[in-house]
PDB file of all heavy atoms in Angstrom:
ATOM      1  N   THR B  10       7.088 -12.853  67.016  1.00 96.00           N
ATOM      2  CA  THR B  10       6.944 -14.016  66.152  1.00 96.00           C
ATOM      3  C   THR B  10       5.477 -14.202  65.796  1.00 96.00           C
ATOM      4  O   THR B  10       4.598 -13.824  66.569  1.00 96.00           O
ATOM      5  CB  THR B  10       7.470 -15.302  66.811  1.00 96.00           C
ATOM      6  OG1 THR B  10       6.728 -15.520  68.021  1.00 96.00           O
ATOM      7  CG2 THR B  10       8.933 -15.205  67.137  1.00 96.00           C
ATOM      8  N   LEU B  11       5.271 -14.773  64.632  1.00 97.00           N
ATOM      9  CA  LEU B  11       3.904 -14.951  64.147  1.00 97.00           C
ATOM     10  C   LEU B  11       3.872 -16.146  63.224  1.00 97.00           C
ATOM     11  O   LEU B  11       4.710 -16.254  62.314  1.00 97.00           O
ATOM     12  CB  LEU B  11       3.455 -13.689  63.409  1.00 97.00           C
ATOM     13  CG  LEU B  11       1.987 -13.466  63.108  1.00 97.00           C
ATOM     14  CD1 LEU B  11       1.164 -13.496  64.387  1.00 97.00           C
ATOM     15  CD2 LEU B  11       1.800 -12.148  62.382  1.00 97.00           C
ATOM     16  N   VAL B  12       2.928 -17.036  63.442  1.00 98.00           N
ATOM     17  CA  VAL B  12       2.701 -18.162  62.544  1.00 98.00           C
ATOM     18  C   VAL B  12       1.283 -18.029  62.017  1.00 98.00           C
ATOM     19  O   VAL B  12       0.332 -18.004  62.790  1.00 98.00           O
ATOM     20  CB  VAL B  12       2.887 -19.516  63.266  1.00 98.00           C
ATOM     21  CG1 VAL B  12       2.624 -20.658  62.289  1.00 98.00           C
ATOM     22  CG2 VAL B  12       4.274 -19.623  63.865  1.00 98.00           C
ATOM     23  N   GLN B  13       1.177 -17.903  60.702  1.00 97.00           N
ATOM     24  CA  GLN B  13      -0.117 -17.645  60.091  1.00 97.00           C
ATOM     25  C   GLN B  13      -0.370 -18.641  58.955  1.00 97.00           C
ATOM     26  O   GLN B  13       0.558 -18.984  58.219  1.00 97.00           O
ATOM     27  CB  GLN B  13      -0.154 -16.228  59.513  1.00 97.00           C
ATOM     28  CG  GLN B  13      -0.130 -15.114  60.559  1.00 97.00           C
ATOM     29  CD  GLN B  13      -1.460 -14.942  61.234  1.00 97.00           C
ATOM     30  OE1 GLN B  13      -1.667 -15.438  62.333  1.00 97.00           O
ATOM     31  NE2 GLN B  13      -2.368 -14.244  60.569  1.00 97.00           N
ATOM     32  N   PRO B  14      -1.602 -19.068  58.779  1.00 98.00           N
ATOM     33  CA  PRO B  14      -1.903 -19.953  57.646  1.00 98.00           C
ATOM     34  C   PRO B  14      -1.978 -19.184  56.335  1.00 98.00           C
ATOM     35  O   PRO B  14      -2.250 -17.971  56.313  1.00 98.00           O
ATOM     36  CB  PRO B  14      -3.283 -20.540  58.010  1.00 98.00           C
ATOM     37  CG  PRO B  14      -3.887 -19.528  58.923  1.00 98.00           C
ATOM     38  CD  PRO B  14      -2.761 -18.894  59.675  1.00 98.00           C
ATOM     39  N   VAL B  15      -1.689 -19.884  55.264  1.00 98.00           N
ATOM     40  CA  VAL B  15      -1.834 -19.306  53.927  1.00 98.00           C
ATOM     41  C   VAL B  15      -3.250 -18.766  53.753  1.00 98.00           C
ATOM     42  O   VAL B  15      -4.220 -19.401  54.158  1.00 98.00           O
ATOM     43  CB  VAL B  15      -1.519 -20.359  52.849  1.00 98.00           C
ATOM     44  CG1 VAL B  15      -1.919 -19.869  51.462  1.00 98.00           C
ATOM     45  CG2 VAL B  15      -0.046 -20.726  52.869  1.00 98.00           C
ATOM     46  N   GLY B  16      -3.350 -17.581  53.176  1.00 97.00           N
ATOM     47  CA  GLY B  16      -4.649 -16.995  52.915  1.00 97.00           C
ATOM     48  C   GLY B  16      -5.190 -16.132  54.036  1.00 97.00           C
ATOM     49  O   GLY B  16      -6.210 -15.444  53.858  1.00 97.00           O
ATOM     50  N   SER B  17      -4.514 -16.127  55.160  1.00 98.00           N
ATOM     51  CA  SER B  17      -4.979 -15.307  56.285  1.00 98.00           C
ATOM     52  C   SER B  17      -4.450 -13.879  56.141  1.00 98.00           C
ATOM     53  O   SER B  17      -3.476 -13.644  55.422  1.00 98.00           O
ATOM     54  CB  SER B  17      -4.531 -15.919  57.611  1.00 98.00           C
ATOM     55  OG  SER B  17      -3.112 -15.905  57.702  1.00 98.00           O
ATOM     56  N   PRO B  18      -5.072 -12.924  56.839  1.00 97.00           N
ATOM     57  CA  PRO B  18      -4.585 -11.537  56.758  1.00 97.00           C
ATOM     58  C   PRO B  18      -3.399 -11.311  57.693  1.00 97.00           C
ATOM     59  O   PRO B  18      -3.112 -12.121  58.568  1.00 97.00           O
ATOM     60  CB  PRO B  18      -5.799 -10.732  57.217  1.00 97.00           C
ATOM     61  CG  PRO B  18      -6.523 -11.657  58.133  1.00 97.00           C
ATOM     62  CD  PRO B  18      -6.327 -13.028  57.573  1.00 97.00           C
ATOM     63  N   LEU B  19      -2.723 -10.189  57.480  1.00 97.00           N
ATOM     64  CA  LEU B  19      -1.555  -9.849  58.279  1.00 97.00           C
ATOM     65  C   LEU B  19      -1.590  -8.381  58.666  1.00 97.00           C
ATOM     66  O   LEU B  19      -1.983  -7.530  57.848  1.00 97.00           O
ATOM     67  CB  LEU B  19      -0.276 -10.117  57.483  1.00 97.00           C
ATOM     68  CG  LEU B  19       1.042  -9.647  58.123  1.00 97.00           C
ATOM     69  CD1 LEU B  19       1.414 -10.560  59.284  1.00 97.00           C
ATOM     70  CD2 LEU B  19       2.156  -9.581  57.098  1.00 97.00           C
ATOM     71  N   SER B  20      -1.176  -8.099  59.861  1.00 96.00           N
ATOM     72  CA  SER B  20      -0.984  -6.716  60.291  1.00 96.00           C
ATOM     73  C   SER B  20       0.183  -6.656  61.258  1.00 96.00           C
ATOM     74  O   SER B  20       0.122  -7.229  62.340  1.00 96.00           O
ATOM     75  CB  SER B  20      -2.246  -6.163  60.951  1.00 96.00           C
ATOM     76  OG  SER B  20      -2.053  -4.814  61.323  1.00 96.00           O
ATOM     77  N   LEU B  21       1.243  -6.002  60.839  1.00 97.00           N
ATOM     78  CA  LEU B  21       2.405  -5.782  61.690  1.00 97.00           C
ATOM     79  C   LEU B  21       2.493  -4.294  61.989  1.00 97.00           C
ATOM     80  O   LEU B  21       2.358  -3.469  61.085  1.00 97.00           O
ATOM     81  CB  LEU B  21       3.690  -6.244  61.002  1.00 97.00           C
ATOM     82  CG  LEU B  21       3.761  -7.698  60.580  1.00 97.00           C
ATOM     83  CD1 LEU B  21       5.116  -7.984  59.928  1.00 97.00           C
ATOM     84  CD2 LEU B  21       3.530  -8.624  61.746  1.00 97.00           C
ATOM     85  N   GLU B  22       2.749  -3.978  63.237  1.00 96.00           N
ATOM     86  CA  GLU B  22       2.737  -2.571  63.625  1.00 96.00           C
ATOM     87  C   GLU B  22       4.104  -2.122  64.130  1.00 96.00           C
ATOM     88  O   GLU B  22       4.832  -2.882  64.781  1.00 96.00           O
ATOM     89  CB  GLU B  22       1.684  -2.322  64.700  1.00 96.00           C
ATOM     90  CG  GLU B  22       1.467  -0.854  65.020  1.00 96.00           C
ATOM     91  CD  GLU B  22       0.170  -0.601  65.758  1.00 96.00           C
ATOM     92  OE1 GLU B  22      -0.707  -1.476  65.743  1.00 96.00           O
ATOM     93  OE2 GLU B  22       0.037   0.499  66.334  1.00 96.00           O
ATOM     94  N   CYS B  23       4.412  -0.892  63.830  1.00 97.00           N
ATOM     95  CA  CYS B  23       5.675  -0.295  64.241  1.00 97.00           C
ATOM     96  C   CYS B  23       5.381   1.123  64.720  1.00 97.00           C
ATOM     97  O   CYS B  23       4.688   1.877  64.025  1.00 97.00           O
ATOM     98  CB  CYS B  23       6.632  -0.283  63.054  1.00 97.00           C
ATOM     99  SG  CYS B  23       8.178   0.592  63.325  1.00 97.00           S
ATOM    100  N   THR B  24       5.862   1.450  65.902  1.00 97.00           N
ATOM    101  CA  THR B  24       5.677   2.815  66.396  1.00 97.00           C
ATOM    102  C   THR B  24       7.009   3.371  66.894  1.00 97.00           C
ATOM    103  O   THR B  24       7.859   2.638  67.386  1.00 97.00           O
ATOM    104  CB  THR B  24       4.648   2.888  67.529  1.00 97.00           C
ATOM    105  OG1 THR B  24       5.099   2.059  68.616  1.00 97.00           O
ATOM    106  CG2 THR B  24       3.291   2.400  67.063  1.00 97.00           C
ATOM    107  N   VAL B  25       7.152   4.655  66.749  1.00 96.00           N
ATOM    108  CA  VAL B  25       8.357   5.356  67.168  1.00 96.00           C
ATOM    109  C   VAL B  25       7.979   6.373  68.225  1.00 96.00           C
ATOM    110  O   VAL B  25       6.941   7.031  68.114  1.00 96.00           O
ATOM    111  CB  VAL B  25       9.029   6.051  65.967  1.00 96.00           C
ATOM    112  CG1 VAL B  25      10.297   6.779  66.407  1.00 96.00           C
ATOM    113  CG2 VAL B  25       9.348   5.037  64.885  1.00 96.00           C
ATOM    114  N   GLU B  26       8.817   6.490  69.225  1.00 94.00           N
ATOM    115  CA  GLU B  26       8.594   7.473  70.287  1.00 94.00           C
ATOM    116  C   GLU B  26       9.774   8.419  70.378  1.00 94.00           C
ATOM    117  O   GLU B  26      10.905   8.051  70.077  1.00 94.00           O
ATOM    118  CB  GLU B  26       8.400   6.762  71.632  1.00 94.00           C
ATOM    119  CG  GLU B  26       7.169   5.893  71.700  1.00 94.00           C
ATOM    120  CD  GLU B  26       7.043   5.182  73.045  1.00 94.00           C
ATOM    121  OE1 GLU B  26       7.959   5.320  73.885  1.00 94.00           O
ATOM    122  OE2 GLU B  26       6.040   4.477  73.253  1.00 94.00           O
ATOM    123  N   GLY B  27       9.494   9.638  70.801  1.00 92.00           N
ATOM    124  CA  GLY B  27      10.564  10.577  71.082  1.00 92.00           C
ATOM    125  C   GLY B  27      11.061  11.377  69.895  1.00 92.00           C
ATOM    126  O   GLY B  27      12.099  12.034  69.996  1.00 92.00           O
ATOM    127  N   THR B  28      10.333  11.332  68.802  1.00 90.00           N
ATOM    128  CA  THR B  28      10.715  12.131  67.641  1.00 90.00           C
ATOM    129  C   THR B  28       9.456  12.450  66.849  1.00 90.00           C
ATOM    130  O   THR B  28       8.401  11.865  67.076  1.00 90.00           O
ATOM    131  CB  THR B  28      11.714  11.376  66.756  1.00 90.00           C
ATOM    132  OG1 THR B  28      12.187  12.234  65.717  1.00 90.00           O
ATOM    133  CG2 THR B  28      11.090  10.149  66.129  1.00 90.00           C
ATOM    134  N   SER B  29       9.575  13.385  65.945  1.00 89.00           N
ATOM    135  CA  SER B  29       8.429  13.715  65.105  1.00 89.00           C
ATOM    136  C   SER B  29       8.850  13.719  63.649  1.00 89.00           C
ATOM    137  O   SER B  29      10.008  13.985  63.323  1.00 89.00           O
ATOM    138  CB  SER B  29       7.856  15.089  65.489  1.00 89.00           C
ATOM    139  OG  SER B  29       8.828  16.090  65.348  1.00 89.00           O
ATOM    140  N   ASN B  30       7.887  13.394  62.795  1.00 90.00           N
ATOM    141  CA  ASN B  30       8.095  13.344  61.350  1.00 90.00           C
ATOM    142  C   ASN B  30       9.304  12.504  60.942  1.00 90.00           C
ATOM    143  O   ASN B  30      10.133  12.941  60.129  1.00 90.00           O
ATOM    144  CB  ASN B  30       8.228  14.761  60.779  1.00 90.00           C
ATOM    145  CG  ASN B  30       8.019  14.775  59.275  1.00 90.00           C
ATOM    146  OD1 ASN B  30       7.248  13.990  58.734  1.00 90.00           O
ATOM    147  ND2 ASN B  30       8.729  15.651  58.578  1.00 90.00           N
TER     148      ASN B  30
END
Side-chain angles (χ1 to χ4, degrees):
Chain B
T10 59
L11 195 57
V12 180
Q13 292 284 99
V15 169
S17 64
L19 173 73
S20 181
L21 302 181
E22 188 163 343
C23 173
T24 60
V25 180
E26 296 178 356
T28 187
S29 59
N30 197 33

